[in-house]
Amino acid sequence: VDVFYTESHLLHNPQEELEYGKIIPFHETPDRISNAVDALVRSRSLSFNLTSPTDFGLEPIRAVHSDDYIEYLRHAHAEWTNYVGGDPTRGVTPDIWAIRHISGPRAKPPPSPDAQTSLPRSVREGYARARMGWYISDGQTVIMEKSWQAIYSAAQCALSGAEYLVKLNSASSPPKDDNPVTSLALCRPPGHHAFRDVGAGYCFINNIAVAAQHLIDRHGARVAILDVDFHHGNGTQSIFYDRSNPLFVSLHAQWDFPHYTGHEDETGTGEGEGFTINRPLAREDCHGKDGEEHYHATLNTLIHSHVVPYNPTFLLVSLGVDTFHLDPVGGLGLTTPGFRLIGASIRAGVKLVEAATKRRVPTLFVLEGGYGVDDMGENISEVMRGYVN
Ligand code: Q9C
Ligand code: ZN
């Protein structure tokens, strides 16, 4: 399995996050990926090939995110440390938040304080605070001086994984009918909580949305996104809510972060009606062996009733392993063998589409959450093992 990965993620290394009124150690740490890479390389059951991403530039990111947001992310750390202050080595996060549906459609962030040289410092400080609260929606999405480089590179990993599948699929001798066409993008920071112009839940750029949009724009793809992270993929949902391509399907814990979305009656709007599918799982149904069976039965139904009939030409999986029963942030009762079953169920669905369409369905796995640093490498590797076997 080819794995797209770069060490640039090390530049994004916040020390702490604000969680429900307390400052706690940051969960979304560099050793999530470093440990996972070690585990994949050591894996004896499957060989993983580490590849550095290609640089596709800013254009595919601009196809998903607004220019003002991208511009803001690039300068957010400098702007905050300049006008608000604080220890620049610890990372910055807002202390006020825009609630946009209350602020109404004409709400807007103040202009850059850099351009307001005639205003007193304290007023410019207010601008900087308001801007951070406009673009970042919680206290867990922390920006360091060099975070942009990590954020940008994570998106390039997803794009590289997608482009690699295109090449593999159109090679002069495409892989044989029953050989899997797949790749894995080890993205950090993750992406599925990032909206067009808002960052949240450790996410800034929506890596999987950028890859999906690229496949649609450059390769005329019909894309299905299956999100199996513990948390609802609210950013991905929002970006594609009024569209019929890609299909977005999410299985997640009910009433956890992001707290307000991911209900079954969120099904898309306009042209997108019916192309967003949510299955929230009640926490009390997700304990022990029965819980794990319930999870797999629900996942299988989703794949067979929604992903397969869509007949995607590419499948993109938001792979969060924070469903692991020991995960310190999530935890939805899944065991390590359960992850292999996730991979196998996805592959079974892909084979059905391949049989029906007589075309291969290249599948890109994009890492989202997973915070149990000692186990996530093995869990990721089990998903891939289930998929390729
Ligand atoms: N105690 C992703 O998995 N913290 N983001 C919730 C729970 C934020 C998760 C606090 C969770 C964000 C990509
Ligand atoms: Zn998650």
Side-chain angles (χ1 to χ4, degrees), residues 83-106:
Y83 294 102
V84 184
D87 176 355
T89 65
R90 305 198 74 83
V92 297
T93 196
D95 56 5
I96 49 172
W97 290 274
I99 298 179
R100 296 195 193 183
H101 70 281
I102 289 175
S103 311
R106 306 236 180 268

Side-chain angles (χ1 to χ4, degrees), residues 19-20 140 190 192-193 201-203 229 231 257 322 329 369 371:
E19 189 194 66
Y20 313 144
Q140 298 155 2
H192 75 153
H193 299 306
Y202 310 137
C203 304
D229 187 276
H231 304 97
F257 184 91
D322 40 10
V329 171
Y371 306 95

Side-chain angles (χ1 to χ4, degrees), residues 147-347:
S147 292
W148 174 254
Q149 206 172 315
I151 294 164
Y152 177 88
S153 303
Q156 302 302 330
C157 284
L159 285 163
S160 299
E163 193 61 32
Y164 166 85
L165 292 181
V166 172
K167 296 265 153 58
L168 199 66
N169 211 31
S170 62
S172 52
S173 51
K176 286 209 196 61
D177 280 356
D178 45 357
N179 284 348
V181 182
T182 189
S183 62
L184 167 66
L186 283 183
C187 299
R188 184 180 172 269
H192 75 153
H193 299 306
F195 289 63
R196 188 179 121 81
D197 63 353
V198 182
Y202 310 137
C203 304
F204 302 93
I205 294 296
N206 196 314
N207 306 310
I208 202 164
V210 169
Q213 189 63 48
H214 171 84
L215 288 168
I216 292 166
D217 290 344
R218 296 294 167 88
H219 303 289
R222 180 171 170 83
V223 177
I225 299 177
L226 174 63
D227 189 322
V228 297
D229 187 276
F230 172 90
H231 304 97
H232 177 230
N234 58 340
T236 315
Q237 168 171 304
S238 145
I239 289 166
F240 299 123
Y241 205 61
D242 59 357
R243 290 168 44 178
S244 57
N245 182 20
L247 170 74
F248 175 71
V249 178
S250 183
L251 175 62
H252 47 265
Q254 187 172 39
W255 301 127
D256 203 291
F257 184 91
H259 306 296
Y260 307 109
T261 57
H263 309 298
E264 280 196 27
D265 62 356
E266 293 163 32
T267 54
T269 182
E271 238 175 72
E273 180 65 55
F275 296 93
T276 288
I277 308 290
N278 284 295
R279 286 296 174 274
L281 294 171
R283 301 299 294 277
E284 60 270 27
D285 294 340
C286 296
H287 296 296
K289 197 165 163 293
D290 288 355
E292 204 168 7
E293 268 165 28
H294 175 60
Y295 180 94
H296 287 295
T298 312
L299 175 63
N300 258 308
T301 305
L302 276 176
I303 291 172
H304 289 265
S305 320
H306 297 284
V307 178
V308 172
Y310 186 74
N311 282 329
T313 60
F314 284 81
L315 174 61
L316 272 51
V317 180
S318 263
L319 177 60
V321 292
D322 40 10
T323 46
F324 187 53
H325 66 122
L326 298 175
D327 191 276
V329 171
L332 206 49
L334 283 187
T335 60
T336 296
F339 284 100
R340 196 188 309 188
L341 226 50
I342 291 180
S345 296
I346 295 171
R347 184 70 186 293

Side-chain angles (χ1 to χ4, degrees), residues 56-108:
F56 292 86
L58 209 52
E59 227 28 61
I61 297 175
R62 292 183 60 209
V64 166
H65 294 279
S66 70
D67 289 344
D68 65 315
Y69 176 58
I70 294 171
E71 194 58 19
Y72 180 73
L73 285 181
R74 299 173 72 151
H75 301 110
H77 185 272
E79 184 173 299
W80 184 274
T81 45
N82 230 343
Y83 294 102
V84 184
D87 176 355
T89 65
R90 305 198 74 83
V92 297
T93 196
D95 56 5
I96 49 172
W97 290 274
I99 298 179
R100 296 195 193 183
H101 70 281
I102 289 175
S103 311
R106 306 236 180 268
K108 44 184 90 61

